[in-house]
Amino acid sequence: MRLFITGGAGFVGANYARWVMSHSDDDMVVYDALTYAGNRDNLRDLEGDRRLVFVKGDVCDREGVAEAMAGCDAVVHFAAESHVDRSIVSPDAFVRTNCGGVNVVCDTARRLELEKVVCVSTDEVYGSIEAGSFTEADRLAPSSPYSASKAGADLIALAYRKTFGLPVAVTRSSNNFGPYQHPEKVIPLFTTNLLDGLAVPLYGDGQNVRDWCHVEDNCAAIDMVLRQGLPGEVYNIGGGNELANRDLAARLVELCGQDESLIRPVADRLGHDRRYSVDTAKIQRLGWRPVWELDEALAATVSWYRDNRWWWEPLKKALP
Ligand code: NAD
């Protein structure tokens, strides 16, 4: 199978390209605009493999997408503006890329009659939940411009199924972490600060809860949805590792050999969702289970950032 992987130079997309390379004989076109979040270094170890072709392009560019997608069998659509804080400062790019991009990708896949499209989304589309976990049947109630644009993208993708019969499925994953995550995101930001003995900014009272999923577990789940998921269906993905941000910070402090005095409370994020939690029974029925255990996965991740300063130091210098 020849895959069209949008956003494959970003964090999850690059890990997914690596996953496919090591778990299948498939080849792929990685299509990515190389925004501030896209980075050819994320694919450096795959460069030179003839199964991967990289095309620089914007998912909102119909001609560029059509040209690059021609000859592919299936799409895994990761390309997005992905940082909630940036969406609060300037939402326009989020609506453009996340809603406009999915429309172009689905419409092009429909015209080219591709076999399968997977649109990669987030648990944030459900909004906050005090107790229990959201199932795929729950209503969407996004809080930030980021999550609202992703909810819009999900609905656009699913409309292509209902209206045109496009064989598209949607995945909604909880927070990912692992190698090659941009250092603006909380785990790499805290880890790289702590490795340098710097303070880490903790939003509000630190009691906001996230469910952490190692990126390889998410990639395995996305791949399972690509190959076995039913068109028109939504699949929640989660690591089953709920943790308050304060506790996450404390674990990273310990793993980096630092002192908790480096955890500094700062003003809360606007519209900050209190807790995310998804019910993953549906994808588990396909046979997926997360294999990473949280403490082991956090330790491996901290080690990766400790060993790969060449990768994150330039990105951190470029942060606004
Ligand atoms: P990322 O910001 O690391 O990567 C996004 C990639 O998309 C970058 O390579 C960027 O260059 C590319 N891109 C952005 N705009 C583009 C455009 N207009 N045209 C083409 N390419 C463009 O994001 P990520 O964390 O890898 O997230 C990937 C996907 O997974 C997103 O759709 C995101 O919503 C979803 N997701 C991520 C997480 C997470 O914790 N990282 C959790 C759930 C869902």
Side-chain angles (χ1 to χ4, degrees):
M1 189 154 64
R2 188 169 178 79
L3 302 179
F4 186 71
I5 302 178
T6 72
F11 164 49
V12 189
N15 276 286
Y16 180 70
R18 191 167 292 107
W19 173 270
V20 170
M21 285 293 201
S22 57
H23 289 82
S24 78
D25 295 328
D26 292 341
D27 53 18
M28 62 190 73
V29 175
V30 169
Y31 185 85
D32 195 297
L34 296 179
T35 67
Y36 81 93
N39 185 351
R40 290 292 292 269
D41 281 344
N42 295 2
L43 298 165
R44 191 192 270 198
D45 54 318
L46 306 180
E47 299 267 356
D49 190 316
R50 288 165 54 194
R51 287 191 293 154
L52 188 152
V53 173
F54 182 84
V55 177
K56 184 175 179 201
D58 187 329
V59 283
C60 299
D61 170 12
R62 278 187 175 274
E63 284 178 14
V65 170
E67 196 178 318
M69 197 190 284
C72 292
D73 303 297
V75 178
V76 187
H77 178 49
F78 293 95
E81 289 291 339
S82 69
H83 191 37
V84 174
D85 288 344
R86 286 182 190 251
S87 83
I88 293 167
V89 176
S90 43
D92 292 12
F94 286 75
V95 176
R96 176 191 179 273
T97 293
N98 300 359
C99 298
V102 80
N103 178 50
V104 170
V105 166
C106 287
D107 197 36
T108 308
R110 170 177 80 91
R111 290 172 196 279
L112 294 175
E113 299 182 348
L114 266 62
E115 290 165 22
K116 190 77 173 277
V117 178
V118 177
C119 290
V120 175
S121 187
T122 164
D123 63 351
E124 299 190 29
V125 297
Y126 298 115
S128 195
I129 187 165
E130 267 183 40
S133 303
F134 287 119
T135 74
E136 291 84 351
D138 278 308
R139 84 209 191 298
L140 306 187
S143 301
S144 70
Y146 163 66
S147 52
S149 68
K150 293 296 292 185
D154 290 10
L155 297 178
I156 291 166
L158 294 169
Y160 271 86
R161 171 67 187 165
K162 282 193 187 145
T163 308
F164 304 111
L166 183 75
V168 58
V170 171
T171 67
R172 292 185 183 142
S173 159
S174 64
N175 283 44
N176 284 207
F177 66 103
Y180 301 103
Q181 187 169 30
H182 195 283
E184 68 183 357
K185 302 284 171 57
V186 64
I187 287 184
L189 175 68
F190 282 20
T191 300
T192 56
N193 277 15
L194 290 165
L195 289 174
D196 282 343
L198 301 172
V200 298
L202 183 68
Y203 282 137
D205 64 3
Q207 293 309 312
N208 302 66
V209 172
R210 300 293 179 260
D211 167 32
W212 291 99
C213 181
H214 191 274
V215 66
E216 284 177 10
D217 283 331
N218 188 26
C219 290
I222 290 166
D223 204 55
M224 187 166 278
V225 171
L226 173 71
R227 293 165 208 279
Q228 298 174 39
L230 293 176
E233 295 294 321
V234 175
Y235 295 89
N236 288 342
I237 300 165
N241 298 306
E242 288 187 28
L243 205 57
N245 289 344
R246 179 72 177 70
D247 298 332
L248 172 69
R251 290 198 197 194
L252 294 175
V253 163
E254 197 184 332
L255 286 166
C256 294
Q258 293 290 358
D259 187 89
E260 288 200 15
S261 60
L262 286 177
I263 302 174
R264 305 275 163 78
V266 296
D268 207 355
R269 169 189 273 170
L270 296 177
H272 202 179
D273 283 329
R274 197 66 173 166
R275 175 173 173 264
Y276 295 135
S277 182
V278 281
D279 181 321
T280 58
K282 186 169 171 181
I283 191 157
Q284 294 208 21
R285 285 197 291 276
L286 289 184
W288 175 85
R289 300 272 183 290
V291 297
W292 279 93
E293 188 273 323
L294 182 63
D295 283 328
E296 180 198 0
L298 285 175
T301 300
V302 168
S303 291
W304 190 86
Y305 287 92
R306 188 180 274 121
D307 295 343
N308 288 281
R309 281 181 175 271
W310 69 271
W311 181 82
W312 58 263
E313 278 179 344
L315 299 176
K316 246 187 138 178
K317 280 200 190 96
L319 280 177

PDB file of all heavy atoms in Angstrom, residues 12-24:
ATOM      1  N   VAL A  12       3.685  13.572  15.890  1.00  0.00           N
ATOM      2  CA  VAL A  12       3.003  12.271  15.775  1.00  0.00           C
ATOM      3  C   VAL A  12       3.189  11.698  14.372  1.00  0.00           C
ATOM      4  O   VAL A  12       3.437  10.495  14.208  1.00  0.00           O
ATOM      5  CB  VAL A  12       1.500  12.369  16.136  1.00  0.00           C
ATOM      6  CG1 VAL A  12       0.896  10.973  16.223  1.00  0.00           C
ATOM      7  CG2 VAL A  12       1.284  13.097  17.457  1.00  0.00           C
ATOM      8  N   GLY A  13       3.097  12.566  13.356  1.00  0.00           N
ATOM      9  CA  GLY A  13       3.211  12.089  11.976  1.00  0.00           C
ATOM     10  C   GLY A  13       4.559  11.432  11.696  1.00  0.00           C
ATOM     11  O   GLY A  13       4.626  10.393  11.026  1.00  0.00           O
ATOM     12  N   ALA A  14       5.635  12.020  12.203  1.00  0.00           N
ATOM     13  CA  ALA A  14       6.968  11.435  11.974  1.00  0.00           C
ATOM     14  C   ALA A  14       7.111  10.119  12.723  1.00  0.00           C
ATOM     15  O   ALA A  14       7.697   9.157  12.213  1.00  0.00           O
ATOM     16  CB  ALA A  14       8.054  12.420  12.407  1.00  0.00           C
ATOM     17  N   ASN A  15       6.571  10.071  13.926  1.00  0.00           N
ATOM     18  CA  ASN A  15       6.609   8.799  14.665  1.00  0.00           C
ATOM     19  C   ASN A  15       5.766   7.743  13.941  1.00  0.00           C
ATOM     20  O   ASN A  15       6.123   6.559  13.932  1.00  0.00           O
ATOM     21  CB  ASN A  15       6.112   8.994  16.104  1.00  0.00           C
ATOM     22  CG  ASN A  15       7.221   9.494  17.030  1.00  0.00           C
ATOM     23  OD1 ASN A  15       8.118   8.744  17.398  1.00  0.00           O
ATOM     24  ND2 ASN A  15       7.197  10.780  17.361  1.00  0.00           N
ATOM     25  N   TYR A  16       4.691   8.195  13.306  1.00  0.00           N
ATOM     26  CA  TYR A  16       3.858   7.241  12.560  1.00  0.00           C
ATOM     27  C   TYR A  16       4.599   6.739  11.307  1.00  0.00           C
ATOM     28  O   TYR A  16       4.565   5.536  11.008  1.00  0.00           O
ATOM     29  CB  TYR A  16       2.512   7.872  12.174  1.00  0.00           C
ATOM     30  CG  TYR A  16       1.651   6.907  11.411  1.00  0.00           C
ATOM     31  CD1 TYR A  16       1.081   5.800  12.046  1.00  0.00           C
ATOM     32  CD2 TYR A  16       1.447   7.050  10.037  1.00  0.00           C
ATOM     33  CE1 TYR A  16       0.331   4.879  11.340  1.00  0.00           C
ATOM     34  CE2 TYR A  16       0.700   6.131   9.326  1.00  0.00           C
ATOM     35  CZ  TYR A  16       0.146   5.045   9.983  1.00  0.00           C
ATOM     36  OH  TYR A  16      -0.587   4.114   9.280  1.00  0.00           O
ATOM     37  N   ALA A  17       5.261   7.649  10.599  1.00  0.00           N
ATOM     38  CA  ALA A  17       6.041   7.225   9.419  1.00  0.00           C
ATOM     39  C   ALA A  17       7.076   6.174   9.829  1.00  0.00           C
ATOM     40  O   ALA A  17       7.258   5.153   9.158  1.00  0.00           O
ATOM     41  CB  ALA A  17       6.727   8.436   8.784  1.00  0.00           C
ATOM     42  N   ARG A  18       7.722   6.411  10.961  1.00  0.00           N
ATOM     43  CA  ARG A  18       8.729   5.462  11.480  1.00  0.00           C
ATOM     44  C   ARG A  18       8.054   4.126  11.838  1.00  0.00           C
ATOM     45  O   ARG A  18       8.605   3.064  11.579  1.00  0.00           O
ATOM     46  CB  ARG A  18       9.401   6.100  12.706  1.00  0.00           C
ATOM     47  CG  ARG A  18      10.631   5.393  13.202  1.00  0.00           C
ATOM     48  CD  ARG A  18      11.389   6.248  14.200  1.00  0.00           C
ATOM     49  NE  ARG A  18      11.985   7.407  13.578  1.00  0.00           N
ATOM     50  CZ  ARG A  18      11.556   8.664  13.720  1.00  0.00           C
ATOM     51  NH1 ARG A  18      10.529   8.938  14.507  1.00  0.00           N
ATOM     52  NH2 ARG A  18      12.155   9.644  13.095  1.00  0.00           N
ATOM     53  N   TRP A  19       6.874   4.218  12.429  1.00  0.00           N
ATOM     54  CA  TRP A  19       6.127   3.016  12.804  1.00  0.00           C
ATOM     55  C   TRP A  19       5.814   2.164  11.562  1.00  0.00           C
ATOM     56  O   TRP A  19       6.029   0.951  11.538  1.00  0.00           O
ATOM     57  CB  TRP A  19       4.820   3.419  13.518  1.00  0.00           C
ATOM     58  CG  TRP A  19       3.926   2.254  13.788  1.00  0.00           C
ATOM     59  CD1 TRP A  19       2.940   1.759  12.963  1.00  0.00           C
ATOM     60  CD2 TRP A  19       3.943   1.395  14.925  1.00  0.00           C
ATOM     61  NE1 TRP A  19       2.353   0.668  13.524  1.00  0.00           N
ATOM     62  CE2 TRP A  19       2.954   0.419  14.740  1.00  0.00           C
ATOM     63  CE3 TRP A  19       4.703   1.384  16.098  1.00  0.00           C
ATOM     64  CZ2 TRP A  19       2.692  -0.575  15.673  1.00  0.00           C
ATOM     65  CZ3 TRP A  19       4.444   0.389  17.043  1.00  0.00           C
ATOM     66  CH2 TRP A  19       3.454  -0.563  16.820  1.00  0.00           C
ATOM     67  N   VAL A  20       5.328   2.830  10.515  1.00  0.00           N
ATOM     68  CA  VAL A  20       4.962   2.107   9.283  1.00  0.00           C
ATOM     69  C   VAL A  20       6.208   1.476   8.657  1.00  0.00           C
ATOM     70  O   VAL A  20       6.183   0.318   8.209  1.00  0.00           O
ATOM     71  CB  VAL A  20       4.271   3.072   8.291  1.00  0.00           C
ATOM     72  CG1 VAL A  20       4.103   2.424   6.916  1.00  0.00           C
ATOM     73  CG2 VAL A  20       2.914   3.500   8.842  1.00  0.00           C
ATOM     74  N   MET A  21       7.301   2.224   8.640  1.00  0.00           N
ATOM     75  CA  MET A  21       8.545   1.710   8.063  1.00  0.00           C
ATOM     76  C   MET A  21       8.989   0.422   8.762  1.00  0.00           C
ATOM     77  O   MET A  21       9.501  -0.490   8.119  1.00  0.00           O
ATOM     78  CB  MET A  21       9.668   2.733   8.205  1.00  0.00           C
ATOM     79  CG  MET A  21       9.548   3.873   7.245  1.00  0.00           C
ATOM     80  SD  MET A  21       9.792   3.302   5.558  1.00  0.00           S
ATOM     81  CE  MET A  21      10.212   4.824   4.774  1.00  0.00           C
ATOM     82  N   SER A  22       8.811   0.369  10.078  1.00  0.00           N
ATOM     83  CA  SER A  22       9.331  -0.788  10.809  1.00  0.00           C
ATOM     84  C   SER A  22       8.291  -1.892  11.003  1.00  0.00           C
ATOM     85  O   SER A  22       8.632  -2.964  11.477  1.00  0.00           O
ATOM     86  CB  SER A  22       9.924  -0.363  12.154  1.00  0.00           C
ATOM     87  OG  SER A  22       8.952   0.303  12.902  1.00  0.00           O
ATOM     88  N   HIS A  23       7.027  -1.632  10.656  1.00  0.00           N
ATOM     89  CA  HIS A  23       6.000  -2.660  10.887  1.00  0.00           C
ATOM     90  C   HIS A  23       5.305  -3.127   9.611  1.00  0.00           C
ATOM     91  O   HIS A  23       4.360  -3.913   9.690  1.00  0.00           O
ATOM     92  CB  HIS A  23       4.927  -2.149  11.863  1.00  0.00           C
ATOM     93  CG  HIS A  23       5.413  -2.020  13.275  1.00  0.00           C
ATOM     94  ND1 HIS A  23       6.120  -0.934  13.724  1.00  0.00           N
ATOM     95  CD2 HIS A  23       5.315  -2.849  14.335  1.00  0.00           C
ATOM     96  CE1 HIS A  23       6.420  -1.088  15.003  1.00  0.00           C
ATOM     97  NE2 HIS A  23       5.958  -2.243  15.394  1.00  0.00           N
ATOM     98  N   SER A  24       5.710  -2.593   8.451  1.00  0.00           N
ATOM     99  CA  SER A  24       5.030  -3.002   7.210  1.00  0.00           C
ATOM    100  C   SER A  24       5.986  -2.833   6.025  1.00  0.00           C
ATOM    101  O   SER A  24       7.081  -2.290   6.172  1.00  0.00           O
ATOM    102  CB  SER A  24       3.779  -2.150   6.976  1.00  0.00           C
ATOM    103  OG  SER A  24       4.147  -0.884   6.452  1.00  0.00           O
TER     104      SER A  24
END
